């Protein structure tokens, strides 16, 4: 019984509101004391306004306004951006009947002049465009006592609908250059049903970074904004080509924290491994334990970075993983070098007395060792290999770092998922 009564009350309110929006057909004119605008009795909510325009001008434009304060979240794992914004769409409704002389157009107490502020529920009784946000993951309207939305009717027969929303959009990201990765995430909105021959769009973006009181949220990325590029202004689907408007979010990862957390420790581990070259190879526990401990620690660092880094689509290593693998290989090479030195000390034959020969012409002098005999110098004194390794290992690692930090190009081609 209560449900039935509530339903009747709701229907009566709807009918009352609908009746208040209709013009007085019997008088053929507006009641200037009550209404600044109204809809005709033969108004059809399901028909778009451009069908009632004269031939040759049957095209409609939607104007979007995006007022953004920040990016609240960037989820690398899901490749999703969460954007709270004030979302406004405006279109012309030429079927409205407007009393241009009504006093409410000059009143700015509830909004700008030449505009009438209405309840958001009024939109249910007017034609509204079917919109599509490409790559939309979630669309959430904010509510307190009621929905945070408003409707304005202009003196020039335009309808403006504004609402506070939080939008989650998908963004194709490429993490092959992590942590130097950059991405461009595109927000595109347009008509769901009418193609570009019937409906076009324009948009305006309010960049939050130009505001004097703008404070960027503490995220892992530097964020910049720009208008939608011209080549993305049209979305081509199997059903046709559709006009799209929106903006682009430029993401550039902050790699500085990883410099202190990962890069510098790995460089120090490799540098400490060079100390093993000056330790007496006969002190097996000291030299071997140093290298093995460093090797195991840097393996653990690699596993932690691999677990925390966003997953890349390709199977190849990203930038930071490539750096750590190089450090692992450097320490492992130091272990192999020590194994070679230790093998020489353990397996080399006992030193023999060097033979001398007399020249047949009667000139007596010692003959220098042949090339093969010179190779035995390294076997007799394996510490020469340690001395050479200090120079080779350090020079190679310095050259690698110069290339990694100053020569390698981590900028990617500008696409939808890159900066």
């Amino acid at each position: 019984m209560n449900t039935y009564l509530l339903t009747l009350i709701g229907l009566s309110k709807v009918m009352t509101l609908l009746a208040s929006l209709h013009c007085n057909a019997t008088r053929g004119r507006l009641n200037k004391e009550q209404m600044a605008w109204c809809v005709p009795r033969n108004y059809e909510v399901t028909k778009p306004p451009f069908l009632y325009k004269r031939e040759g001008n049957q095209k409609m434009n939607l104007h979007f306004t995006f007022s953004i304060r920040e990016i609240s979240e960037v989820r690398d794992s899901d490749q999703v951006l969460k954007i709270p914004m004030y979302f406004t769409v405006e279109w012309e409704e030429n079927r409205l009947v407007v009393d241009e002389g009504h006093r409410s157009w000059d009143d700015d107490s509830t909004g700008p002049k030449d505009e009438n502020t209405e309840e958001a529920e009024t939109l249910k009784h007017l034609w509204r465009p079917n919109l599509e946000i490409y790559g939309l993951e979630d669309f959430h309207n904010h509510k307190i006592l009621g929905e945070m939305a408003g409707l304005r009717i202009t003196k020039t027969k335009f309808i403006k609908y504004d609402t506070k929303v939080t939008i989650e959009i998908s963004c194709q990201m490429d993490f092959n250059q992590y942590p130097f990765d950059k991405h461009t995430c595109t927000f595109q909105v347009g008509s769901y049903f009418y193609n570009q021959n019937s409906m076009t769009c324009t948009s305006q973006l309010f960049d939050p970074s130009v505001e004097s009181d703008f404070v960027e949220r503490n995220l892992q990325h530097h964020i910049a904004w720009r208008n939608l590029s011209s080549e993305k202004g049209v979305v081509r689907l199997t059903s046709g080509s559709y006009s799209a408007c929106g903006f682009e979010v430029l993401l550039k990862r902050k790699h500085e924290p990883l410099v202190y957390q990962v890069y510098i420790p790995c460089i120090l581990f490799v540098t400490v491994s060079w100390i093993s070259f000056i330790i007496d190879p006969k002190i097996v526990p000291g030299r071997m334990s140093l290298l093995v401990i460093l090797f195991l620690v840097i393996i653990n660092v690699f596993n932690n970075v691999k677990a925390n880094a966003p997953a890349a689509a390709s199977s190849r290593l990203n930038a930071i993983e490539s750096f750590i693998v190089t450090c692992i290989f450097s320490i492992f090479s130091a272990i192999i070098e020590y194994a070679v030195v230790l093998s020489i000390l353990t397996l080399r034959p006992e030193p023999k007395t060097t033979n001398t020969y007399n020249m047949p012409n009667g000139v007596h002098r010692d003959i220098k060792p042949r090339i093969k005999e010179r190779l035995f110098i390294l076997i007799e004194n394996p510490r020469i290999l340690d001395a050479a390794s200090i120079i080779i290992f350090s020079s190679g690692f310095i050259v690698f770092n110069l290339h990694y930090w100053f020569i390698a190009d981590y900028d990617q081609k500008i696409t939808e998922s890159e900066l």
Side-chain angles (χ1 to χ4, degrees), residues 219-270:
L219 299 175
Q220 294 183 3
H221 301 80
H222 296 289
I223 299 174
W225 311 80
R226 70 184 180 196
N227 291 316
L228 193 67
S229 54
S230 57
E231 62 270 15
K232 297 177 182 177
V234 177
V235 177
R236 293 175 175 83
L237 304 175
T238 56
S239 57
S241 298
Y242 299 83
S243 296
C245 293
F247 55 88
E248 295 176 354
V249 184
L250 313 182
L251 303 177
K252 181 179 179 182
R253 191 178 300 275
K254 301 174 182 177
H255 63 268
E256 291 81 3
L258 290 174
V259 171
Y260 302 102
Q261 298 170 7
V262 177
Y263 285 103
I264 291 179
C266 287
I267 292 174
L268 294 178
F269 293 152
V270 174

Side-chain angles (χ1 to χ4, degrees), residues 391-403:
I391 299 174
I392 295 173
F393 278 56
S394 59
S395 300
F397 193 67
I398 291 173
V399 170
F400 166 73
N401 275 275
L402 290 175
H403 176 270

